[in-house]
């Protein structure tokens, strides 16, 4: 790759601005085009980024000036956009989840393999200093042998702040598929792949009401489980307890904790790139903050694409990989199936854990232009 990886963005929703902000300051990537079904949204998205221009979906797919397409559409459109991007011969990086189902995801991976292009997928928050430091702590035995972990994502629901929240409550949405990728990607990077899951779920409210924006007061139906509790058995033997909920008004629960034979590790919010990692040993009630041991310093949404561009240029493995995203999707799908059947489900997929990000990594891909 002679110059920066040229990026075309499909979708111009709330998250597009964060991606464009990051991609515009990286040395090895360059946002070139943004397209969406609503041309006005595309023009608004590029207003602050003079290097990028709004275009049509047809022009974007056909463009010879793009190396990678970034899929920022809602989950139900992931398959269509991903396959179109791959058919155009472009590398692909998508927002989470990789697809709505593992069957859809397999078709994406098969198409990419046939075309000889790479696929990456969010979340890339796990490449920041918070989760990477936690991983290094566990890898070097800071808390002994991992025995268990807990992960809690609680909110009363996205309809309170999002102006168009319906997709969070349709097939492909819900707390597991929406927020699960952050927590599960962190857990499997720290503790390794999951081999078996079980769980239960409830849907206490069958309708929700939009709380802000131009459509405030509109009521819409809920089609998915909104409170899910599960247990994950990792290949190494550790058990993770997971609670993902759109039905909790307030909570003092931790985000993620890992419990080992010699101590406990407190892990920061996996939906953030930073945060303190804390450790307590041998029943001591005091917590010690761990110095940064790994992760991209100054990471933000889109750093996974810069990491991928670096990997393409050096012919190495990118960290926010399709295999990792597929395994997380498989775990989520298996967990939701277990809540329906009331029985445990085996998870057959796996992935090769990527190399940890070195402490305070600031290679060429992070240097401002």
């Amino acid at each position: 790759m002679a110059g920066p990886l040229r990026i075309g963005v499909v979708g111009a929703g709330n998250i597009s601005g964060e991606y464009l902000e990051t991609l515009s300051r990286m040395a090895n990537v360059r946002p070139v085009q943004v397209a969406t079904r609503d041309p006005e949204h595309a023009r608004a998205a590029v207003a602050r980024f003079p290097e990028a221009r709004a275009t049509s979906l047809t022009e974007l797919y056909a463009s010879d000036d793009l190396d990678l397409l970034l899929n920022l559409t809602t989950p139900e459109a992931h398959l269509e956009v991903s396959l179109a991007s791959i058919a155009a011969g472009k590398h692909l990086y998508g927002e989470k989840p990789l697809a709505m189902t593992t069957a859809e995801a397999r078709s994406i991976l098969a198409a990419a393999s046939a075309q000889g292009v790479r696929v990456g997928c969010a979340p890339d928050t796990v490449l920041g200093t918070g989760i990477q430091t936690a991983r290094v702590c566990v890898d070097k035995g800071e808390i002994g042998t991992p025995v268990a972990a807990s992960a809690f994502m609680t909110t009363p629901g996205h309809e309170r702040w999002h102006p168009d929240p319906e997709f969070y409550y349709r097939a492909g949405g819900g707390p597991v598929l929406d927020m699960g990728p952050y927590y599960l990607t962190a857990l499997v990077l720290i503790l390794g792949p999951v081999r078996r899951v079980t769980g239960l779920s409830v849907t206490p409210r069958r309708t929700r009401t939009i709380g802000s924006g131009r459509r405030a007061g509109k009521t819409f139906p809920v089609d998915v489980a909104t409170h899910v509790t599960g247990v994950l058995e990792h290949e190494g033997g550790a058990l993770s307890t997971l609670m993902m909920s759109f039905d909790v008004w307030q909570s003092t629960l931790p985000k993620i904790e890992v419990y080992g034979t010699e101590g406990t590790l407190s892990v920061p919010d996996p939906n953030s790139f930073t945060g303190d990692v804390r450790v307590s040993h041998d029943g001591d009630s005091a917590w010690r903050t761990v110095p940064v041991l790994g992760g991209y310093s100054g990471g933000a949404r889109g750093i996974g694409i810069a990491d991928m561009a670096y990997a393409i240029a050096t012919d190495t493995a990118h960290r926010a990989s399709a295999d990792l995203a597929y395994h997380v999707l498989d775990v989520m799908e298996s967990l939701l199936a277990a809540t329906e059947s009331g029985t445990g489900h085996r998870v057959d997929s796996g992935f090769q854990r990527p190399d940890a990000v070195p402490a305070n990594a600031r290679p060429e891909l992070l240097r401002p232009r």
Side-chain angles (χ1 to χ4, degrees):
M1 189 174 66
L5 199 73
R6 300 165 299 177
I7 311 296
V9 182
V10 183
N14 286 354
I15 201 68
S16 63
E18 293 186 42
Y19 272 96
L20 288 168
E21 188 75 45
T22 302
L23 297 175
S24 293
R25 67 181 178 85
M26 296 294 125
N28 67 340
V29 295
R30 188 175 75 227
V32 175
Q33 297 180 30
V34 176
T36 186
R37 289 190 173 93
D38 185 338
E40 187 58 38
H41 284 177
R43 285 191 289 270
V46 302
R48 294 188 297 113
F49 306 99
E51 290 187 339
R53 65 184 178 88
T55 186
S56 68
L57 289 168
T58 300
E59 182 181 353
L60 182 140
Y61 290 134
S63 176
D64 293 328
D65 297 327
L66 300 174
D67 305 302
L68 178 147
L69 296 190
L70 168 59
N71 184 357
L72 298 183
T73 59
T74 53
E76 60 264 29
H78 282 189
L79 177 65
E80 176 189 351
V81 172
S82 295
L83 291 179
S85 302
I86 293 167
K90 311 293 195 297
H91 299 297
L92 172 70
Y93 186 94
E95 249 303 329
K96 49 77 185 169
L98 181 59
M100 288 182 64
T101 66
T102 54
E104 290 185 356
R106 285 193 296 272
S107 69
I108 293 171
L109 301 186
S113 178
Q115 280 279 30
V117 298
R118 295 199 189 206
V119 176
C121 187
D124 53 5
T125 48
V126 295
L127 304 183
T129 55
I131 301 304
Q132 289 292 311
T133 293
R135 171 187 168 168
V136 173
C137 278
V138 173
D139 285 353
K140 72 176 191 173
E142 180 72 31
I143 58 170
T145 301
V147 175
S150 60
F152 301 99
M153 191 295 298
T154 60
T155 174
H158 295 342
E159 73 279 4
R160 300 174 72 224
W161 58 269
H162 199 291
D164 299 293
E166 286 93 336
F167 72 93
Y168 289 113
Y169 298 91
R170 295 197 296 259
V176 172
L177 288 172
D178 173 45
M179 295 300 292
Y182 298 107
Y183 289 77
L184 288 167
T185 305
L187 285 171
V188 300
L189 283 178
I190 294 170
L191 296 174
V194 172
R195 63 187 177 194
R196 191 158 54 108
V197 300
T198 188
L200 293 170
S201 67
V202 292
T203 308
R205 288 181 281 167
R206 291 295 176 178
T207 62
R208 299 275 175 139
T209 302
I210 299 174
S212 65
R214 70 194 186 284
R215 302 168 64 229
K218 176 180 172 55
T219 297
F220 60 91
V222 174
D223 300 326
V224 296
T226 54
H227 183 101
V228 179
T229 299
V231 177
L232 323 174
E233 180 187 2
H234 295 267
E235 286 185 354
L239 300 179
S240 289
T241 300
L242 183 74
M243 186 174 86
M244 312 294 295
S245 183
F246 287 170
D247 290 295
V248 176
W249 289 99
Q250 292 288 348
S251 171
T252 57
L253 291 165
K255 299 297 184 182
I256 298 177
E257 289 182 343
V258 183
Y259 314 110
T261 54
E262 297 175 22
T264 296
L265 195 71
S266 173
V267 182
D269 187 352
N271 193 17
S272 174
F273 290 86
T274 60
D276 288 339
V277 176
R278 298 181 302 147
V279 65
S280 176
H281 287 117
D282 301 326
D284 187 352
S285 60
W287 291 92
R288 174 176 63 85
T289 299
V290 179
V292 171
L293 300 174
Y296 286 123
S297 179
R301 294 189 196 279
I303 193 63
I305 303 171
D307 179 272
M308 188 172 171
Y310 184 83
I312 291 170
T314 56
D315 195 26
T316 55
H318 58 282
R319 291 180 172 90
S321 71
D323 287 345
L324 172 57
Y326 181 86
H327 179 67
V328 168
L329 178 60
D330 195 9
V331 172
M332 295 189 297
E333 187 174 84
S334 298
L335 174 58
L336 292 173
T339 67
E340 292 290 330
S341 67
T343 61
H345 278 240
R346 181 165 182 80
V347 179
D348 293 323
S349 64
F351 71 99
Q352 184 71 36
R353 276 209 312 169
D355 292 340
V357 180
N360 296 308
R362 300 191 74 91
E364 172 65 17
L365 64 93
L366 278 172
R367 189 180 305 149
R369 298 194 198 120

